[in-house]
Amino acid sequence: MTEEIRWGVVGPGRIAEKVVADFAVVEGARAVAVASRSLDRAQDFAGRHGIERAHGSYADILADPDVDVLYVATPHPQHHAVSLAALRAGKALLVEKAFTATVAGATEVADLSRQTGVFAMEAMWTRFQPAVVRLRELVAEGAVGEVRSVQADLGVQRDFDPTDRLFARELGGGALLDLGVYVVSFAQMLLGDPDTVTATGSTFETGVDAEVSLLLGWADGRSATLMTSLRNALPGQARVFGTAGWIDVLPRFHHPQTIVLHRDGAEPEEITLPQLGAGYAHELAEVGECLRAGRRESAVMPLADTLAVQRVLEDAAGQLGVSFAEDATVL
């Protein structure tokens, strides 16, 4: 692995536009190639972001010898096929959340990563935000005692449009895979893998989930109450409740700057830790550090956690009668 990590971008969409700007503030990271199934779109993205090479197919970027790691930002059902092909080509992976459209697909990618020894990580930027890193340190130090419950919500109001990816089942639309992944991952990060999942909500006429409320349960009585929605805006706040206090994660919790520690018998303590760049820089830096150190997984966002979150999302979707499939035709 060279000192400079050379990145390729797969899928120059809305999220990639934001993420690629943060390469400028990550030492030793450079975006050198971009791929789209439309060469014109790839060339436009490359030109606007100063990227050297534009590929008109995903297969072409997989064969690019000057790319060390791929950032995969296609619609969810396309992650599976692209990731498997990338791992077989020896390309390390940072895959947008949700990691895949199905548990089976996520398991296959994780298994191949482990078999080949090629690094793969879900792009759950929340876990790398400085304020969230500090929250985890406070929890580990026992600042709020034993964590017994987590609350979190994340929702936006979107007018229904059957032509938009967010509402298309074949593109992995719906609230759960786009927004629910954040609340579930946050709870799993603090409480571990739940024993029970109870979901209620509604669906759009295209067959994807519109809004979901989740109750996750653990055998020892711990719980998480979570909400996600495309029907209505939600505050985007989280709270972590312990036996000796609680921590507020101020909106929006999935990329916060401020947390407030409430210890029993003490005045609230506000802690503000701004992000580097737009906040995506931290996950990019984590990938670089892992690759240079020869690590096959991130300790902060391990594949086991990704699989646990996918299981919750699939269970919840199934309770609403929603199901997804991987897209095997993308390549």
Side-chain angles (χ1 to χ4, degrees):
M1 183 60 59
T2 60
E3 186 60 29
E4 180 181 69
I5 305 297
R6 302 166 300 177
W7 287 77
V9 176
V10 181
R14 285 176 288 192
I15 186 63
E17 290 280 354
K18 299 176 182 179
V19 172
V20 76
D22 267 11
F23 281 107
V25 296
V26 181
E27 186 175 355
R30 183 165 61 97
V32 300
V34 58
S36 170
R37 290 187 291 183
S38 163
L39 181 57
D40 287 345
R41 192 177 182 206
Q43 289 174 335
D44 176 67
F45 187 92
R48 286 185 289 105
H49 294 287
I51 296 174
E52 300 164 12
R53 295 185 301 285
H55 297 291
S57 76
Y58 300 150
D60 286 349
I61 202 170
L62 292 171
D64 190 328
D66 296 320
V67 170
D68 302 311
V69 54
L70 293 176
Y71 166 62
V72 180
T74 60
H76 312 303
Q78 298 176 9
H79 294 177
H80 170 253
V82 172
S83 296
L84 291 178
L87 292 170
R88 293 182 182 120
K91 307 293 190 191
L93 283 171
L94 178 66
V95 183
E96 264 304 339
K97 87 291 306 163
F99 194 65
T100 56
T102 67
V103 172
T107 301
E108 193 174 358
V109 173
D111 286 349
L112 186 60
S113 171
R114 290 162 175 162
Q115 290 165 12
T116 59
V118 179
F119 179 91
M121 187 183 92
E122 183 181 13
M124 179 49 71
W125 66 324
T126 303
R127 296 199 181 194
F128 302 95
Q129 303 300 300
V132 174
V133 172
R134 182 59 186 140
L135 178 148
R136 297 184 77 176
E137 291 171 349
L138 289 168
V139 167
E141 293 164 7
V144 294
E146 180 192 5
V147 174
R148 298 295 300 171
S149 187
V150 169
Q151 292 179 350
D153 63 77
L154 192 61
V156 296
Q157 191 280 324
R158 289 286 185 269
D159 293 332
F160 177 71
D161 178 0
T163 66
D164 190 297
R165 179 193 66 80
L166 284 174
F167 305 98
R169 192 165 72 91
E170 68 274 13
L171 296 177
L176 278 168
L177 293 187
D178 258 80
L179 300 175
V181 63
Y182 286 108
V183 295
V184 173
S185 186
F186 187 80
Q188 191 275 339
M189 173 184 77
L190 292 161
L191 295 169
D193 303 356
D195 297 303
T196 60
V197 177
T198 304
T200 188
S202 65
T203 59
F204 291 114
E205 60 191 63
T206 49
V208 301
D209 53 292
E211 58 194 340
V212 187
S213 291
L214 290 163
L215 175 61
L216 309 186
W218 282 258
D220 61 1
R222 292 174 299 142
S223 65
T225 51
L226 313 171
M227 293 176 61
T228 188
S229 180
L230 288 174
R231 280 201 195 280
N232 58 292
L234 297 171
Q237 183 159 333
R239 279 182 168 172
V240 181
F241 299 96
T243 54
W246 74 91
I247 300 172
D248 287 327
V249 187
L250 301 190
R252 292 169 73 82
F253 84 88
H254 62 309
H255 57 118
Q257 292 198 0
T258 301
I259 61 175
V260 183
L261 172 62
H262 300 263
R263 300 179 195 257
D264 288 352
E267 290 296 312
E269 179 184 348
E270 188 172 291
I271 301 166
T272 298
L273 296 167
Q275 300 97 335
L276 180 63
Y280 302 100
H282 304 287
E283 64 183 2
L284 300 175
E286 170 74 2
V287 174
E289 291 170 11
C290 287
L291 292 179
R292 292 187 186 96
R295 291 192 287 271
R296 298 178 180 182
E297 291 189 35
S298 165
V300 179
M301 190 64 244
L303 292 170
D305 284 12
T306 290
L307 294 176
V309 170
Q310 289 282 161
R311 286 191 289 269
V312 173
L313 295 173
E314 187 163 289
D315 190 341
Q319 291 179 44
L320 299 181
V322 175
S323 63
F324 296 104
E326 308 295 355
D327 181 358
T329 68
V330 62
L331 293 173

